[in-house]
Amino acid sequence: MSIGHTLLGLLESGPRHGYDLKRAFDEKFGHDRPLHYGQVYSTMSRLLKNGLVEVDGIEAGGGPERKRYAITDAGITDVERWLATPEPPEPYLQSTLYTKVVLALLTHREAADILDTQRSEHLRMMRILTDRKRKGDLADQLICDHALFHLEADLRWLELTAARLDKLAEVVTK
């Protein structure tokens, strides 16, 4: 996810302080990976330098001055371009799991055990996500569905690979 573009998008609704941007980001997108304040302020500094935001006001308080940022026309154009650009599909052609299976075969370890252990871990995570989805709001449900669909695809691959382990062993140990 592009943190810069996300913060720019949040600014389209109106000027905000860095603290408010972090809170809005965490509420909407950061359930599992909240932003650090340093990420917000370094990103805002870069956006300011690139002319995508401007300082809309500075407030003195008990601590450091608080800058309020506003998106510029260039920032709006940048967000529009980012939203209109499709994300490249992630083909997962260099999978760590595949590497582990092949290395197990090459080193005469039980590749089937690796697949079984991974299957158990995937099922555990699917139970957690299903529970979260059941308890969550619509945004949480959609995020969980996305993750669950990817885990389901991984499970299909695990089953297919388990069924072909003998053939894979022949190919990689030649």
Side-chain angles (χ1 to χ4, degrees), residues 17-60:
H17 297 98
Y19 173 83
D20 297 327
L21 284 168
K22 179 202 175 339
R23 191 175 62 221
F25 181 98
D26 290 352
E27 180 181 301
K28 301 286 186 205
F29 311 107
H31 293 287
D32 298 314
R33 295 174 72 189
L35 280 180
H36 296 287
Y37 285 105
Q39 285 178 285
V40 174
Y41 293 110
S42 64
T43 301
M44 295 312 296
S45 177
R46 182 177 40 81
L47 295 173
L48 185 63
K49 184 177 108 182
N50 292 335
L52 302 176
V53 299
E54 61 191 9
V55 176
D56 186 58
I58 298 177
E59 299 172 10

Side-chain angles (χ1 to χ4, degrees), residues 63-114:
E65 292 179 335
R66 293 180 54 191
K67 293 179 184 173
R68 188 175 56 244
Y69 298 96
I71 192 168
T72 62
D73 289 341
I76 292 170
T77 300
D78 198 54
V79 170
E80 287 173 349
R81 187 178 314 116
W82 179 67
L83 290 173
T85 304
E87 290 297 309
E90 298 178 25
Y92 301 104
L93 292 178
Q94 188 56 38
S95 163
T96 302
L97 183 54
Y98 173 77
T99 301
K100 286 182 173 185
V101 169
V102 170
L103 284 174
L105 293 171
L106 289 172
T107 59
H108 308 289
R109 290 181 171 92
E110 289 297 324
D113 291 348
I114 292 170

Side-chain angles (χ1 to χ4, degrees), residues 113-129:
D113 291 348
I114 292 170
L115 294 171
D116 289 342
T117 300
Q118 192 63 49
R119 184 181 306 103
S120 294
E121 186 61 18
H122 271 59
L123 292 170
R124 185 188 70 76
M125 181 55 67
M126 290 176 84
R127 285 189 296 275
I128 291 168
L129 289 168

